[in-house]
Short mmCIF file of all heavy atoms in Angstrom, two decimals:
data_model
loop_
_atom_site.label_atom_id
_atom_site.label_comp_id
_atom_site.label_asym_id
_atom_site.label_seq_id
_atom_site.Cartn_x
_atom_site.Cartn_y
_atom_site.Cartn_z
N VAL A 31 -8.99 -3.85 7.18
CA VAL A 31 -10.16 -2.98 7.37
C VAL A 31 -11.09 -3.56 8.42
O VAL A 31 -11.59 -2.84 9.29
CB VAL A 31 -10.89 -2.73 6.03
CG1 VAL A 31 -12.22 -2.03 6.25
CG2 VAL A 31 -10.00 -1.91 5.09
N GLN A 32 -11.33 -4.86 8.36
CA GLN A 32 -12.20 -5.48 9.36
C GLN A 32 -11.64 -5.27 10.77
O GLN A 32 -12.39 -4.93 11.69
CB GLN A 32 -12.37 -6.97 9.06
CG GLN A 32 -13.23 -7.23 7.84
CD GLN A 32 -13.26 -8.70 7.42
OE1 GLN A 32 -12.37 -9.48 7.74
NE2 GLN A 32 -14.30 -9.06 6.69
N ALA A 33 -10.35 -5.45 10.94
CA ALA A 33 -9.73 -5.26 12.26
C ALA A 33 -9.88 -3.81 12.72
O ALA A 33 -10.18 -3.55 13.89
CB ALA A 33 -8.25 -5.65 12.21
N ALA A 34 -9.70 -2.87 11.81
CA ALA A 34 -9.74 -1.45 12.16
C ALA A 34 -11.13 -0.99 12.59
O ALA A 34 -11.26 -0.10 13.43
CB ALA A 34 -9.25 -0.60 11.00
N VAL A 35 -12.17 -1.60 12.02
CA VAL A 35 -13.53 -1.15 12.35
C VAL A 35 -14.24 -2.06 13.34
O VAL A 35 -15.41 -1.86 13.64
CB VAL A 35 -14.40 -0.97 11.07
CG1 VAL A 35 -13.78 0.05 10.13
CG2 VAL A 35 -14.64 -2.30 10.37
N GLY A 36 -13.55 -3.07 13.86
CA GLY A 36 -14.14 -3.93 14.86
C GLY A 36 -15.03 -5.03 14.31
O GLY A 36 -15.81 -5.64 15.02
N HIS A 37 -14.90 -5.32 13.02
CA HIS A 37 -15.65 -6.41 12.38
C HIS A 37 -14.80 -7.67 12.47
O HIS A 37 -13.59 -7.62 12.25
CB HIS A 37 -15.89 -6.04 10.91
CG HIS A 37 -16.83 -6.95 10.19
ND1 HIS A 37 -16.49 -8.21 9.79
CD2 HIS A 37 -18.10 -6.75 9.77
CE1 HIS A 37 -17.50 -8.77 9.15
NE2 HIS A 37 -18.50 -7.90 9.14
N PRO A 38 -15.38 -8.82 12.79
CA PRO A 38 -14.57 -10.05 12.83
C PRO A 38 -13.90 -10.31 11.48
O PRO A 38 -14.48 -10.03 10.42
CB PRO A 38 -15.60 -11.15 13.13
CG PRO A 38 -16.77 -10.45 13.72
CD PRO A 38 -16.79 -9.07 13.12
N LEU A 39 -12.69 -10.82 11.52
CA LEU A 39 -11.99 -11.19 10.30
C LEU A 39 -12.70 -12.40 9.72
O LEU A 39 -12.82 -13.43 10.37
CB LEU A 39 -10.52 -11.52 10.59
CG LEU A 39 -9.72 -10.51 11.39
CD1 LEU A 39 -8.26 -10.92 11.45
CD2 LEU A 39 -9.88 -9.10 10.85
N THR A 40 -13.21 -12.29 8.50
CA THR A 40 -14.01 -13.35 7.89
C THR A 40 -13.12 -14.31 7.12
O THR A 40 -12.69 -14.03 6.00
CB THR A 40 -15.09 -12.74 6.96
OG1 THR A 40 -14.47 -11.81 6.07
CG2 THR A 40 -16.16 -12.03 7.76
N VAL A 41 -12.86 -15.44 7.75
CA VAL A 41 -12.06 -16.50 7.14
C VAL A 41 -13.01 -17.42 6.38
O VAL A 41 -13.96 -17.93 6.95
CB VAL A 41 -11.29 -17.29 8.22
CG1 VAL A 41 -10.63 -18.53 7.62
CG2 VAL A 41 -10.26 -16.39 8.89
N TYR A 42 -12.75 -17.59 5.10
CA TYR A 42 -13.61 -18.43 4.27
C TYR A 42 -13.34 -19.91 4.56
O TYR A 42 -12.21 -20.38 4.43
CB TYR A 42 -13.37 -18.18 2.79
CG TYR A 42 -13.78 -16.80 2.31
CD1 TYR A 42 -13.37 -16.35 1.07
CD2 TYR A 42 -14.57 -15.95 3.08
CE1 TYR A 42 -13.74 -15.10 0.60
CE2 TYR A 42 -14.94 -14.72 2.62
CZ TYR A 42 -14.52 -14.29 1.39
OH TYR A 42 -14.90 -13.05 0.93
N GLY A 43 -14.39 -20.62 4.95
CA GLY A 43 -14.29 -22.06 5.19
C GLY A 43 -13.28 -22.38 6.28
O GLY A 43 -13.23 -21.74 7.32
N LYS A 44 -12.43 -23.38 6.00
CA LYS A 44 -11.43 -23.81 6.97
C LYS A 44 -10.25 -22.85 7.06
O LYS A 44 -9.45 -22.94 7.98
CB LYS A 44 -10.90 -25.20 6.60
CG LYS A 44 -11.93 -26.31 6.63
CD LYS A 44 -11.27 -27.61 6.17
CE LYS A 44 -12.26 -28.73 6.00
NZ LYS A 44 -11.61 -29.93 5.45
N GLY A 45 -10.08 -21.99 6.06
CA GLY A 45 -8.97 -21.04 6.08
C GLY A 45 -7.63 -21.62 5.70
O GLY A 45 -6.59 -21.00 5.90
N GLY A 46 -7.63 -22.80 5.13
CA GLY A 46 -6.38 -23.45 4.75
C GLY A 46 -5.87 -23.05 3.38
O GLY A 46 -4.79 -23.47 2.96
N GLN A 47 -6.62 -22.22 2.66
CA GLN A 47 -6.21 -21.80 1.32
C GLN A 47 -4.93 -20.97 1.44
O GLN A 47 -4.83 -20.08 2.26
CB GLN A 47 -7.30 -20.97 0.65
CG GLN A 47 -8.67 -21.58 0.66
CD GLN A 47 -9.49 -21.24 1.90
OE1 GLN A 47 -8.97 -20.93 2.95
NE2 GLN A 47 -10.80 -21.30 1.78
N THR A 48 -3.97 -21.26 0.60
CA THR A 48 -2.69 -20.56 0.63
C THR A 48 -2.66 -19.52 -0.49
O THR A 48 -3.10 -19.78 -1.60
CB THR A 48 -1.53 -21.55 0.47
OG1 THR A 48 -1.61 -22.50 1.53
CG2 THR A 48 -0.19 -20.85 0.53
N ARG A 49 -2.11 -18.37 -0.17
CA ARG A 49 -2.03 -17.27 -1.12
C ARG A 49 -0.59 -16.73 -1.16
O ARG A 49 0.11 -16.74 -0.15
CB ARG A 49 -2.96 -16.12 -0.71
CG ARG A 49 -4.42 -16.50 -0.58
CD ARG A 49 -5.04 -16.76 -1.95
NE ARG A 49 -6.47 -16.99 -1.85
CZ ARG A 49 -7.04 -18.16 -2.00
NH1 ARG A 49 -6.31 -19.23 -2.23
NH2 ARG A 49 -8.35 -18.29 -1.93
N GLY A 50 -0.19 -16.24 -2.33
CA GLY A 50 1.11 -15.61 -2.49
C GLY A 50 1.00 -14.12 -2.26
O GLY A 50 -0.01 -13.50 -2.60
N PHE A 51 2.04 -13.51 -1.68
CA PHE A 51 2.04 -12.09 -1.37
C PHE A 51 3.31 -11.42 -1.88
O PHE A 51 4.39 -12.01 -1.87
CB PHE A 51 1.92 -11.86 0.14
CG PHE A 51 0.57 -12.20 0.66
CD1 PHE A 51 0.27 -13.49 1.04
CD2 PHE A 51 -0.42 -11.24 0.74
CE1 PHE A 51 -0.99 -13.83 1.49
CE2 PHE A 51 -1.68 -11.55 1.19
CZ PHE A 51 -1.96 -12.85 1.57
#
Side-chain angles (χ1 to χ4, degrees):
V31 171
Q32 288 173 337
V35 300
H37 189 286
L39 309 186
T40 50
V41 171
Y42 293 167
K44 296 177 187 175
Q47 309 89 335
T48 302
R49 302 288 186 253
F51 289 87

